[in-house]
Amino acid sequence: MRLKTSQFLLSLVIISALMLGGCSTQQLASNPSSPTSTATSTTNDTEIKTTTEATSVSQTSSESIPGITDLPRLEGKATVVLTVKGSPITIEVDGTDAPITAGNFVDLVQKGVYDGLAFHRVVRDPQPFVVQGGDPQSKDPKVPADRLGTGSYIDPKTRNARYIPLEVKAKGSDTPTYNKPFDATAQAVVLPHKLGAVAMARSQAPDSASAQFYIALADLAFLDGNYAVFGNVTQGFDVVNKIKQGDRIDSAKVTQGAENLKIPGQ
């Protein structure tokens, strides 16, 4: 994708904003991030560079993706309804093209993780960007606002954070690719960042997504291949457009497709 100079500079700023706000590079590896307009980390070549190297889903049982066999998987599609300030937002979750990312999201919805969480970043200026939420820390109103955007889902059984690998499926491919971003200008993705796309936020480390997600407020093609889209808003985008920073998710429910969620060991 070729951009005019002003657009290119804006893209660099926004991609830098897709990293964890207020933390060092060392902290980014252990504290997954999300789209933000206040990040202090500096964009460098390694943060915006893309590559075609990735791991195929056919290798997911190998050590190339440690722990992936222990992650929830969505085999097919599901519908999730987020209720915000009493109004519903319907999301079609795509486990066909993003089984691990979709499975993680649906599993967290089923566990009630998103109930009561805040949208801690809403970026509409200088142009529409994203609405972001899902930091488990935001359930506690006493957590300082400058800490939001740094939290992960902590598995109560292991007491460890659950992270999922970057998962992006290219058009023409039978399976997603994992672990590393790739150049989507050379090969289009099946689930692009279109208006209403729902995707996982992460830090600099490709495999650092956990619970935080964002909804695209515009077409954001420059993010394709770098962040994992796993669904789309199909109804209630007018509600998304009214979300303000600090608004909370009243509830998140799986209304269809719950049977497509597969939990290892169950």
Side-chain angles (χ1 to χ4, degrees):
M1 175 178 63
R2 295 183 178 178
L3 301 175
K4 295 180 181 179
T5 301
S6 60
Q7 292 175 310
F8 179 72
L9 292 175
L10 179 59
S11 296
L12 290 183
V13 171
I14 291 176
I15 291 175
S16 177
L18 288 168
M19 302 302 170
L20 183 60
C23 288
S24 68
T25 301
Q26 288 78 10
Q27 290 172 312
L28 289 172
S30 58
N31 296 312
S33 147
S34 46
T36 169
S37 59
T38 57
T40 58
S41 58
T42 303
T43 301
N44 56 43
D45 290 340
T46 60
E47 291 172 341
I48 62 175
K49 184 178 180 180
T50 57
T51 175
T52 57
E53 295 179 0
T55 305
S56 167
V57 71
S58 64
Q59 297 174 286
T60 55
S61 61
S62 73
E63 295 180 357
S64 59
I65 311 179
I68 197 171
T69 56
D70 298 325
L71 294 172
R73 181 184 295 265
L74 187 68
E75 297 180 352
K77 295 188 176 182
T79 301
V80 169
V81 176
L82 305 181
T83 303
V84 180
K85 300 181 73 173
S87 298
I89 300 168
T90 303
I91 300 171
E92 181 182 77
V93 184
D94 190 341
T96 301
D97 297 311
I100 300 300
T101 311
N104 175 72
F105 182 74
V106 171
D107 181 53
L108 296 183
V109 170
Q110 292 280 60
K111 284 177 165 52
V113 171
Y114 291 116
D115 296 350
L117 299 192
F119 289 97
H120 59 276
R121 292 194 181 98
V122 178
V123 183
R124 292 193 172 96
D125 297 315
Q127 64 185 39
F129 185 40
V130 300
V131 168
Q132 182 194 331
D135 185 339
Q137 297 179 111
S138 68
K139 186 164 288 190
D140 183 354
K142 296 180 181 180
V143 173
D146 60 4
R147 274 184 54 191
L148 299 183
T150 67
S152 306
Y153 168 67
I154 306 299
D155 189 324
K157 293 182 179 180
T158 66
R159 297 185 180 181
N160 294 322
R162 179 204 284 176
Y163 298 121
I164 59 173
L166 177 62
E167 177 182 52
V168 183
K169 187 176 181 180
K171 285 187 176 180
S173 175
D174 293 332
T175 58
T177 55
Y178 291 87
N179 301 113
K180 292 184 179 181
F182 68 88
D183 184 2
T185 63
Q187 189 174 18
V189 299
V190 175
L191 298 175
H193 280 80
K194 295 291 186 181
L195 175 70
V198 185
M200 293 301 291
R202 64 173 179 83
S203 71
Q204 290 171 315
D207 299 343
S208 58
S210 182
Q212 294 182 49
F213 67 94
Y214 60 91
I215 302 172
L217 298 178
D219 291 354
L220 305 171
F222 60 90
L223 299 182
D224 291 348
N226 289 279
Y227 295 85
V229 173
F230 62 89
N232 289 277
V233 173
T234 56
Q235 294 181 42
F237 196 75
D238 58 322
V239 181
V240 176
N241 274 331
K242 295 176 183 177
I243 292 174
K244 297 179 181 179
Q245 187 166 314
D247 285 350
R248 293 185 177 273
I249 300 171
D250 301 329
S251 65
K253 304 293 183 184
V254 180
T255 59
Q256 293 182 18
E259 68 278 5
N260 293 330
L261 179 65
K262 309 302 179 184
I263 307 294
Q266 295 184 9

